[in-house]
Structure formats: C-alpha cells, structure tokens
Amino acid sequence: MRITTLPVNGPCRGKSDTTVSDARRIILASTSPYRQILLERLHIPFQVCKPDFKEAEPGDMPPDELVRYNTLGKAASVVDKFPDATVIASDQIAVCSDTILGKPGGHDAACLQLQRLSGKPVDFLTGIALVGDAEEHYETVPFRVHFRQLNVDDIEAYLRTEQPYDCAGSFKSEGLGICLFERMEGDDPTALIGLPLITLSGWLQPLNAGH
C-alpha cells in the first residue's frame, strides 16, 4: 500500500493518484512512521496529513485531559481542511511518579531518562479519535510498563543500537526496547506503540469494509 502525504491546503489524492471517494476518505492526522505502519495492518486505504495544531504542554492540565485535548485538537485541525473526510488522530504521553515524560531528542537526555525509569512502572496514556461529519469517537487507552533494573552499560548498548530519541520514554517497544521490560500490563499492545488498533478497528470495522 503506497501512502500519500497530503498538504493541508492541497487536493486529496489516493494511492493510485486518483481522487478518493468522499464516502469513506480516511486521513491519518499524523506523519509518524510508527502510526502509519500500525494503520496499514488494518488493510484500509488512507492518506496522511500533518495536523496544523499547537499541542498543549505538560503541566497545562492533568495527564488524561492533556492527551484528550491534543488528540481531538489534531483531529479537528485536519477535519477543518478536509470536512468530507473521516480523520484518525492519536496522541500519547508517558507518566512516571506523577511526572510526564517527553521525547528525549538526543542521546544524553535519553540516557538520563532510562536511568530514571530503571526498576519503575511507567503509565502510557494513548488518546485515539475518529472524527467525521456524522461521527466522533474518542477513548484514552492506558498501558503500563514495568522496567527492569538497568545499569549504565545496558542503557548505552540499547541507545547505540536503536537510537529512540523521538520516542517518549526513550524506547521502541516494537524493537529491541522490549528487552528493557520486566513485564507489561494492558489490553492493547499497539497502544504502547502509539495507535490503539483494537479500539480503532472496533470503530472502523475493516472486515466489513467490502460488504
């Protein structure tokens, strides 16, 4: 499946460069490659569009309100540009000891973040929204990760291998990051990666798409 990235003020084109049917035009309000890969698993055609939305920052509101605000804000910004579309949006925050974790952005910050998470539980809150002309669904999907006791050598070896500097919590659970965990708790492991497919597939019903 070839995915088209849409400019926010441009035409909406499908994977074969013909206009997608307005009846079920699906746009993912994210340019995250991780979310695109997850959504491809549902075998539905979609395009991607970067949301034109300024996210609220940690500390502006409680974690559950923050993830809801950012998720629905992303969705609304794309619906405004493509009002005939069904828009999927998602946002995720990680919380450890009542502190919201951000994306490290570089090696040193990631090293410090993993040192802090060593031996502790981390709660991930992933917001998922499906918004269209006649529908609006939203849910926050929680997932908890318990980190192993990590020493400096473990952390350095992991970071050199995977460089997860654009990921909250400084790891990729779909990759080598799984080795950092002692155990996981949650109903949907795809929520941890950033797009809760169990919830989303319940709304989209991809198995009935051709019926």
Side-chain angles (χ1 to χ4, degrees):
M1 180 184 295
R2 184 164 68 86
I3 307 304
T4 304
T5 301
L6 306 175
V8 294
N9 58 354
C12 188
R13 296 287 175 180
K15 64 176 182 176
S16 59
D17 293 330
T18 58
T19 301
V20 178
S21 169
D22 291 350
R24 198 55 167 176
R25 175 186 293 170
I26 295 176
I27 299 176
L28 175 64
S30 173
T31 55
S32 163
Y34 312 116
R35 291 190 174 112
Q36 291 176 37
I37 290 169
L38 284 171
L39 189 53
E40 287 175 357
R41 289 169 57 176
L42 298 186
H43 292 266
I44 55 175
F46 68 94
Q47 294 82 43
V48 299
C49 181
K50 182 178 180 179
D52 183 17
F53 173 72
K54 180 175 175 57
E55 297 183 27
E57 298 294 331
D60 290 348
M61 57 192 75
D64 56 339
E65 295 180 21
L66 178 66
V67 73
R68 178 185 179 92
Y69 175 85
N70 285 341
T71 301
L72 292 175
K74 291 176 183 179
S77 72
V78 175
V79 169
D80 285 346
K81 300 295 182 181
F82 302 101
D84 56 341
T86 298
V87 175
I88 298 166
S90 186
D91 190 67
Q92 185 184 73
I93 60 173
V95 182
C96 180
S97 301
D98 297 323
T99 299
I100 297 177
L101 306 174
K103 298 175 182 179
H107 182 89
D108 290 345
C111 187
L112 290 173
Q113 196 169 72
L114 288 177
Q115 287 175 3
R116 180 179 181 181
L117 301 182
S118 174
K120 296 180 180 178
V122 179
D123 293 306
F124 287 82
L125 302 177
T126 305
I128 180 70
L130 183 71
V131 180
D133 182 51
E135 61 183 333
E136 180 174 312
H137 303 282
Y138 175 82
E139 189 168 333
T140 300
V141 182
F143 204 91
R144 173 170 284 192
V145 169
H146 295 263
F147 276 78
R148 298 180 187 275
Q149 293 288 343
L150 305 173
N151 60 43
V152 173
D153 290 340
D154 294 334
I155 292 171
E156 288 289 344
Y158 172 67
L159 293 178
R160 284 197 303 270
T161 301
E162 202 145 62
Q163 302 180 9
Y165 306 137
D166 60 345
C167 301
S170 303
F171 70 88
K172 298 179 183 179
S173 64
E174 70 275 25
L176 187 61
I178 198 75
C179 298
L180 306 177
F181 306 154
E182 184 176 84
R183 68 181 190 277
M184 301 189 294
E185 302 174 29
D187 295 330
D188 187 349
T190 60
L192 185 59
I193 305 173
L195 193 71
L197 292 186
I198 292 177
T199 299
L200 185 59
S201 63
W203 297 336
L204 287 174
Q205 295 293 313
L207 295 180
N208 297 329
H211 296 174

